[in-house]
Amino acid sequence: RYHRVEVSAGVFTDRLEYPSRGETIRGDGRTAGGAFVRDTVTGRYLVATRGSRLRAGQISGVRVLGGHDRFDTLFGEAHQYVPLGEMSALVLRGAGAKSIGPESQQFLLGGIGGVRGVARAEDASSRGALGTLELRFPLWTTLDYHMWYIFPDFYFKAVTMALFTDAGYTWNTAEQVDRAGWRDVRHSYGGGLRVHTFILQLFPLVIHFDYARATNSPGGIFYVYLG
């Protein structure tokens, strides 16, 4: 269990290409922000099974040191883990963000950390919200398998499975929210595996394999990532 305050600063560069005009517009950005974090999550072998996590804060684009963008973004994200026995848990997640200003940030729903199974290029807007419901349960809880012939040395501890559904919506104005219906919400479902390992028997690593399908568009997307 811990509480902490995070302070951050950043630099970024945007390049907008206009082939028909034969020109490129470059924008340099400088950001400053902070966040409050409260974490009571516990578990076994890197598998979170109980507790909650909250992170909320603000990040702003500032016109200093050559920065051109000006915006203020408020964000928040919360997780709740409901234990179902040993290494099984029901996970609920909610997140939202709002950006205002002349160069407000644009949020994409799709991809890892968003609505899995939805293309990242869809639904860019200055405000967004999403939620996830995920059931996690073990396939092998005490694998204890040592891959001695791989470098760096891997030591596998457990393999778990997840079944999930994601939903999210982005908007720019209050009128869009008032007119929104279920057909405007992006949602998906899928499943995946989490392989829990230790490198050199010291450094924890989780390898994720997820497959998700959007309910309002054909096809699916396969993800492989480290978490």
Side-chain angles (χ1 to χ4, degrees), residues 27-175:
D28 293 323
R30 308 290 183 263
T31 63
F36 170 77
V37 180
R38 179 182 183 272
D39 196 320
T40 64
V41 174
T42 60
R44 176 187 174 199
Y45 296 152
L46 315 179
V47 183
T49 56
R50 65 178 65 242
S52 62
R53 182 180 295 119
L54 170 67
R55 185 172 186 266
Q58 176 178 338
I59 184 170
S60 299
V62 291
R63 291 175 177 168
V64 297
L65 301 175
H68 298 156
D69 292 351
R70 180 71 183 92
F71 61 84
D72 293 293
T73 299
L74 298 173
F75 60 86
E77 182 173 0
H79 296 77
Q80 180 66 51
Y81 296 83
V82 181
L84 300 178
E86 198 173 355
M87 294 174 63
S88 299
L90 182 67
V91 185
L92 298 93
R93 175 195 177 214
K98 175 183 179 180
S99 187
I100 58 175
E103 294 86 23
S104 59
Q105 292 183 299
Q106 300 294 294
F107 304 106
L108 300 174
L109 282 178
I112 297 171
V115 182
R116 288 161 286 187
V118 172
R120 284 186 55 84
E122 298 182 17
D123 304 315
S125 301
S126 62
R127 295 160 174 81
L130 62 90
T132 293
L133 178 65
E134 185 166 306
L135 175 64
R136 301 177 182 175
F137 53 92
L139 295 181
W140 293 278
T141 58
T142 53
L143 192 60
D144 289 339
Y145 188 72
H146 183 204
M147 298 288 285
W148 59 269
Y149 52 86
I150 291 182
F151 185 83
D153 195 13
F154 276 79
Y155 188 65
F156 293 91
K157 294 297 294 182
V159 177
T160 61
M161 186 171 186
L163 302 175
F164 57 82
T165 180
D166 299 328
Y169 179 64
T170 59
W171 67 96
N172 288 308
T173 64
E175 290 74 16

